[in-house]
Amino acid sequence: MWDDAFPSFLIGLREGLEGGLIVSILVATLVRAGAKSRLPQVWTGVLGAIAVAMSFGAVLTFTAASLSATAQEAFGGTLSVIAVAFVTAMVFWMRRSARHLSGEIKEKVTGALAMGAGMLILTSFLAVGREGLETALFLWTTTRAAGESAGPLTGAGIGLVLAAGLCWGLYRRVLKINLTKFFTATGAVLIVIAAGVLGYGLRDLQEGGVLPGKAAYAVDLGGSIDAGSWYSTLVQGVLNLTPTMTWLQVVGYAGYLAVVMTLFVRGVRATAPAEPKPKPEPKPEPEPSAPRRRPAWVVPVAVVAVPAVVAGLVVALGRPKPAGAQTVAVSEADCGDGFTAPRPGRQTFKMHNTGSKTSEVYLIDPGTGAVYGEIEGLAPGTTRDLVATVAGGSYAWRCVPTGGTAVTSKAVRVSGGGGVRAVVPVSEQDLATPLKQYKQYVEAGLATLVAQTGRLNDDIQGGHLDTARTDWLTAHRTYSSLGAAYGTFEDFDKKVNGRPDGLAAGVADKDFTGFHRIEYGLWHGQNADQLKAPAQQLAADTAGLRNAFPAQAFDPGDLPLRAHEILENTLQFELTGQADQGSGTELATADANLSGTRELLTVLKPLLAGRAPRLLPTVDADVARLQKLLDAAHHGDSWTPVDRLDATTRARLDGATGQLLEDLAPVPDLLEIRKSA
C-alpha cells in the first residue's frame, strides 16, 4: 500500500502547495485590510475549483475515458497563463496599497478591493482549479495502475492535509507582521511563484502542441536530480522549477521575473506621497433603501451544483454503449466469446480469463497478425481492461495460454472510422539475423579487447604507467562499445567493469577488480607493483569472456531493450560522473556507448524501417546532435571531464541524451516478441 500511496502523497503535497500558497496570501491580505466580509468570495472560488476537480474525477471514473494528452496539456497551460495574469494584477494592487498606507488604510484598501467580487472569485478559482484538475487526473491514473484506490487516495489525502497545514502556518505568520512589509514581501513571493506558474504553463502549451520547441532543452538535470524526491517535489510545488526545462520556459520565467520584479521594486522604492489633508465631515445623507439581496447560499450552491450537473450529463451521455464495454473471454476453449463488432473509436474491452492458465491476449488484424492492443499475464478468473482505438478493418482476438496452444477467435468487420496503425508482430525468427550480426560484432570486439588488455598488462608489468593510461582508455572504450551484450556476459561484466559501489571496503575491497580498479590506481598515484595483480586478472578475465561468449545464451529480445538501456546507463553514470575513478574520461565512455548504440540500431534498422518509418530519421538526427556535443569535448588524446563542463554545455549534453532516450523509447514495444503459437 505504501508503494501506491507515496507517489500520491507527493503529488497531493505539491499540488496543494501550488494552489494553497496564493489563496493563503489572498486570505491574509483581506483579513489585514479589515475586509473579512470579502472572504466568502475567495472561498466560493476555492469551492468552485474543488467541485470542478471532483466532477472531472467522476467523469474519468464512471466513463473510463480521459482527455487526450495534448488536450490536457493545452488546457492546463491556458489556465496557468490566465492565473499568472490575475496574480500579477493582484500583486500590483498590493504594491499600490503599500505605497499609500496612512491612517485611512482601511478605507483605501477596501476601496481597492471594490474592483468586484468576480476578481476574488476568479483569482482563487484559477489558483486552485488547475491543481485540482491535475490531481484528479493523476489519482485516476494511479488508482487504475495500482488496481485499488485505498493507497493512492490515502497518500493524496495526507499530502493535501500537510499542504493545508503549511499554508495555514504561512497565513498565521503574515497576520502578525507590519502591513507595509507584508504587502512588499508577499508581493515579491507571489511574483516568484507566478514566474514558475508561467514557465509550467508554457511547458504545458508546448506539450499540447500550441507552442513550438518542446524538445529544445535549455536545462536537463534529469540524470542527476531525482524528480520524485521530497526536496525536488517541494521545489517544484513552491517554485515550479523542474529538473528539465525548455528554452521557452527559461526565457518566459526569467523574462517575467526580470520585468515584473523590476517594476514592482521600483514602485515600492518610490517616495510615498504626503499624508492627505483631513477631509471635512461629510453632510449626512438620507440612507438609501437597502437593495434586495440574494440569499448568501445561492452562489456557493451554484458553483457546486453546476459542475456536478455537467459531470452527470457527461457520464450519462458519454458512457460507452454495451458494445464498447463488452466482456470478452480469454482461454483456449473460449477465446473471443462475447466479441461483437464494436463502434469505431476508442474502446474498452473487459478481458476475462475463463481458463485455468495465465494467458496473453492480443487484439489483432487476422490478415497480417498486426497488433492493436495487448494484455500480458492475465491470471485465471481475473478481468482487466484493454483499451484500443478501433477503425475500419477486420479484428480478432489471439489468446496464448502459458504452456498451451495459441487460439485465434472468429474475425469481425468494422466499417468506417478511418484507419489505425497497428504494430506488426516480431518473432524470434525475425530477430535471428540481427542477433547473428550483432554477435559477430561482439566477437570481433572481444578479440580486439583481449589484445588491448594484454598490452595494458604489459605496460604495467614493465612499469610504463604513462603508456598504461593511454592504453587503459583505448581498451575501456572498446569494452564500453559492446553495451548490448552485457546481459549475456554473466559474472564477467562485474569482474571486468565493476564499480566499488556497495563493496564493504570500497576501492580497497578485494572484490573491486577490472577496468575501474586499474583506473583508480593509475590516477591516484599507485605504483606498478600495486597494479600488477589487477592488470593480470583483467587480462585473464577478458580472455575468459572471449572464450565463453559463443556458448552464452543471448536472448533475441534483449536487442530491442538494449537500444534504450545503454544510454540510460550513460545518463545515470557517465554524464553524472558517478562512474569516474579519477581519469575524468566519462565523456570518452559516453562516446563509446553511443557507438555501441549506433551499431545496434544498424542491425535493427530493417525491422524498424517497416514498422516506424519516421522513427529512424528522428533518431539519426538525435545521434548526430549528441555526437557533435561529445566531439566538442574531445581534444586530441584528452577529454574534458564532466565536472569541468560549463553549466550550459552540461545541460545541452543531458538534454540531447534525454531526447535521444525519449525517441528510442518505442523501440522495445515495436520489436517485442509476441507469441503466436
Side-chain angles (χ1 to χ4, degrees):
M1 179 175 173
W2 173 247
D3 292 340
D4 296 330
F6 188 65
S8 298
F9 163 76
L10 291 179
I11 199 68
L13 177 62
R14 172 183 167 178
E15 303 298 343
L17 282 174
E18 286 190 46
L21 284 174
I22 295 175
V23 172
S24 61
I25 292 174
L26 183 56
V27 170
T29 301
L30 295 174
V31 173
R32 289 304 308 271
K36 287 186 178 181
S37 61
R38 306 295 297 276
L39 289 178
Q41 296 162 8
V42 175
W43 297 124
T44 297
V46 173
L47 186 63
I50 294 173
V52 168
M54 295 183 69
S55 299
F56 179 57
V59 169
L60 293 176
T61 301
F62 294 111
T63 62
S66 65
L67 288 176
S68 68
T70 54
Q72 176 204 345
E73 301 292 354
F75 182 64
T78 302
L79 276 183
S80 298
V81 174
I82 294 173
V84 168
F86 278 91
V87 170
T88 305
M90 188 178 70
V91 164
F92 280 93
W93 161 77
M94 292 167 67
R95 188 205 69 183
R96 289 194 300 272
S97 297
R99 289 178 58 194
H100 295 87
L101 288 175
S102 70
E104 301 174 3
I105 182 62
K106 180 176 179 179
E107 176 186 342
K108 290 181 177 292
V109 173
T110 304
L113 287 171
M115 59 182 66
M119 174 70 171
L120 292 174
I121 293 174
L122 193 54
T123 299
S124 56
F125 175 84
L126 290 172
V128 179
R130 187 198 70 182
E131 278 62 54
L133 292 176
E134 289 182 352
T135 303
L137 186 60
F138 180 89
L139 288 178
W140 181 76
T141 55
T142 52
T143 53
R144 287 175 64 87
E148 55 95 16
S149 58
L153 291 179
T154 299
I158 295 173
L160 289 170
V161 169
L162 180 57
L166 292 173
C167 292
W168 171 256
L170 171 66
Y171 163 75
R172 296 299 300 174
R173 176 65 179 168
V174 299
L175 285 180
K176 300 177 182 179
I177 66 176
N178 178 273
L179 191 57
T180 303
K181 294 180 179 178
F182 163 64
F183 280 146
T184 303
T186 54
V189 170
L190 282 175
I191 289 173
V192 175
I193 293 174
V197 173
L198 178 61
Y200 190 94
L202 292 175
R203 180 58 177 171
D204 280 350
L205 292 173
Q206 288 179 308
E207 294 289 347
V210 177
L211 295 177
K214 71 176 184 179
Y217 296 109
V219 178
D220 190 348
L221 303 177
S224 55
I225 296 178
D226 181 6
S229 62
W230 66 268
Y231 55 85
S232 180
T233 297
L234 284 177
V235 171
Q236 292 179 61
V238 177
L239 303 179
N240 265 304
L241 292 176
T242 59
T244 302
M245 297 182 71
T246 64
W247 280 107
L248 181 60
Q249 282 182 279
V250 172
V251 171
Y253 182 95
Y256 175 89
L257 196 60
V259 172
V260 178
M261 188 67 80
T262 299
L263 294 175
F264 180 79
V265 171
R266 284 180 179 176
V268 170
R269 290 178 177 176
T271 303
E275 290 291 325
K277 295 180 179 180
K279 296 181 180 179
E281 289 293 329
K283 295 181 179 180
E285 298 180 2
E287 291 186 6
S289 58
R292 185 178 180 182
R293 299 178 63 184
R294 65 167 92 75
W297 54 265
V298 171
V299 174
V301 170
V303 297
V304 174
V306 171
V309 170
V310 172
L313 291 174
V314 172
V315 171
L317 299 177
R319 186 185 293 273
K321 299 295 188 295
Q326 54 189 281
T327 299
V328 181
V330 178
S331 72
E332 289 177 288
D334 304 324
C335 185
D337 283 2
F339 181 49
T340 58
R343 294 176 292 108
R346 194 166 180 80
Q347 301 294 333
T348 299
F349 302 96
K350 295 186 177 299
M351 311 307 299
H352 179 64
N353 189 340
T354 59
S356 59
K357 301 176 181 177
T358 298
S359 296
E360 298 178 8
V361 59
Y362 307 101
L363 180 62
I364 65 170
D365 179 337
T368 64
V371 177
Y372 294 98
E374 64 184 291
I375 290 179
E376 298 180 355
L378 183 62
T382 61
T383 301
R384 283 164 57 188
D385 288 351
L386 186 151
V387 180
T389 300
V390 175
S394 295
Y395 296 85
W397 294 100
R398 175 168 293 153
C399 306
V400 189
T402 301
T405 302
V407 178
T408 302
S409 73
K410 181 181 178 181
V412 301
R413 183 79 187 174
V414 177
S415 300
V420 178
R421 187 176 182 84
V423 178
V424 179
V426 173
S427 66
E428 289 192 19
Q429 185 61 36
D430 293 326
L431 283 168
T433 298
L435 181 61
K436 180 180 179 181
Q437 293 172 339
Y438 194 77
K439 289 181 72 173
Q440 291 173 347
Y441 163 77
V442 174
E443 288 173 351
L446 289 175
T448 301
L449 179 66
V450 169
Q452 291 171 345
T453 54
R455 282 196 296 273
L456 174 61
N457 183 40
D458 291 342
D459 294 337
I460 292 175
Q461 301 304 323
H464 309 299
L465 297 188
D466 288 338
T467 304
R469 293 184 183 93
T470 300
D471 288 340
W472 175 89
L473 180 58
T474 301
H476 189 242
R477 281 170 52 81
T478 297
Y479 184 80
S480 298
S481 68
L482 309 178
Y486 288 173
T488 69
F489 289 169
E490 299 173 351
D491 292 338
F492 282 104
D493 181 54
K494 183 177 180 181
K495 296 176 182 178
V496 171
N497 205 40
R499 291 185 292 273
D501 307 340
L503 297 179
V507 294
D509 199 286
K510 62 180 179 60
D511 292 328
F512 181 34
T513 62
F515 279 111
H516 290 300
R517 168 65 185 89
I518 296 174
E519 177 190 10
Y520 180 84
L522 288 173
W523 276 273
H524 282 83
Q526 292 187 349
N527 57 42
D529 289 339
Q530 292 173 292
L531 292 173
K532 285 180 179 179
Q536 287 177 337
Q537 183 175 349
L538 175 62
D541 287 338
T542 55
L545 173 59
R546 180 192 179 188
N547 294 332
F549 178 71
Q552 290 173 331
F554 201 142
D555 186 347
D558 279 356
L559 287 182
L561 290 174
R562 301 298 181 232
H564 192 266
E565 290 179 353
I566 295 173
L567 291 175
E568 276 188 338
N569 290 336
T570 302
L571 192 60
Q572 180 180 358
F573 297 112
E574 276 72 39
L575 296 187
T576 60
Q578 291 185 35
D580 180 52
Q581 297 300 320
S583 68
T585 59
E586 307 99 316
L587 295 185
T589 305
D591 181 73
N593 290 341
L594 184 61
S595 297
T597 301
R598 189 185 291 110
E599 179 65 29
L600 181 57
L601 290 172
T602 298
V603 302
L604 293 176
K605 185 175 182 178
L607 295 178
L608 290 171
R611 291 169 173 80
R614 298 181 181 179
L615 177 64
L616 287 172
T618 301
V619 168
D620 288 343
D622 292 341
V623 169
R625 176 189 174 201
L626 180 55
Q627 186 66 66
K628 184 177 180 180
L629 292 171
L630 290 171
D631 289 345
H634 188 194
H635 315 286
D637 295 332
S638 65
W639 293 77
T640 303
V642 167
D643 59 6
R644 295 184 188 174
L645 295 173
D646 61 80
T648 300
T649 302
R650 190 165 182 175
R652 287 175 179 170
L653 265 172
D654 290 341
T657 307
Q659 185 61 50
L660 178 53
L661 276 170
E662 182 178 334
D663 290 331
L664 285 173
V667 172
D669 287 335
L670 289 169
L671 302 185
E672 180 184 357
I673 297 175
R674 292 176 168 87
K675 298 177 183 178
S676 59

